[in-house]
Amino acid sequence: MIEAKGAVMNSQESAEDPRPGGEQTPPRKKTRKRALIAAAVVAAAAIGGAGYAATASSPTSATASAAAASSASSASAPAQAGSGGGSGSGSNARSGPAEGGTTGTVTAVSGSGFTVTTATGQTATVTGTSTTSYLNGTTPASSSAVTVGQPVLVLGTVNSTAITASQVVVQPPGSGSTPSTASQVVPFQQGAQSAAKQSGQVPADYTEGSGTIVSGSTADKATEAALAAYPGAVVDRVVQLSDGEYEVHYIGVNWPHHVFVTADFTVAGAD
């Protein structure tokens, strides 16, 4: 269509402006140049319009870009400490393995460790390592001291009910007597609601999930104190609160869930 229009214009120009000698030579180069320029303008407009239409009618691209930017921002943002239960992070993480332990009776022994069953029937699998220390009462011993039927205290890194032992005490001191608080521990029952009660002194400003997880001898001492007072559970973490006390977190029982231990490792209360 553009070339045809150019041909008509060329014919008109020749008729109105005859060349000397009566020869009428149409300015083809000029006309063709104009035609090419017009075609380029039309093509550019078409491309620009198509790009605009694609952008306007396809919000998916913009949304995907925004989502990617948001995802990158979330991944690089520091995790919030102090969140309770399940999936916290930072120094107060609640999802990863932490130091704790359990007490109970050895019910099976294998080449890599043993199984211990607590006073409430909770079972934990204990694995020994080359660095695990063993005591028979207060006397240094070897892994051979662990036999079926023996009462034990296990301290180490806890992941649910699997414990990698740092220390195993066979016939721990006080294992022959039952603390008066043992009868208060409520065994776990599938589908049963957790008991809502308190015993002793619970920090007035305590918020579940607060504090910072501790390890080493501090976690061991707090775990041992809590299990001596309230046997039957597995301790899966020990948390130091802002007032210096420790919250020892229980699993495998319906009550208690938190045992509070003072800075000098005396049990103060539970809820």
Side-chain angles (χ1 to χ4, degrees), residues 123-190:
T123 299
T125 302
V126 181
T127 302
T129 70
S130 59
T131 60
T132 302
S133 66
Y134 295 86
L135 293 173
N136 192 340
T138 58
T139 304
S142 67
S143 59
S144 62
V146 179
T147 58
V148 174
Q150 293 277 20
V152 292
L153 163 68
V154 181
L155 301 171
T157 301
V158 180
N159 186 1
S160 184
T161 56
I163 306 174
T164 301
S166 59
Q167 184 178 72
V168 177
V169 183
V170 180
Q171 294 285 351
S175 60
S177 61
T178 303
S180 60
T181 52
S183 60
Q184 298 182 39
V185 177
V186 179
F188 174 77
Q189 291 183 342
Q190 188 70 39

Side-chain angles (χ1 to χ4, degrees), residues 166-220:
S166 59
Q167 184 178 72
V168 177
V169 183
V170 180
Q171 294 285 351
S175 60
S177 61
T178 303
S180 60
T181 52
S183 60
Q184 298 182 39
V185 177
V186 179
F188 174 77
Q189 291 183 342
Q190 188 70 39
Q193 286 189 331
S194 297
K197 64 177 182 177
Q198 293 185 355
S199 176
Q201 295 181 345
V202 175
D205 58 350
Y206 171 69
T207 301
E208 186 172 359
S210 62
T212 303
I213 288 179
V214 297
S215 59
S217 61
T218 299
D220 290 345

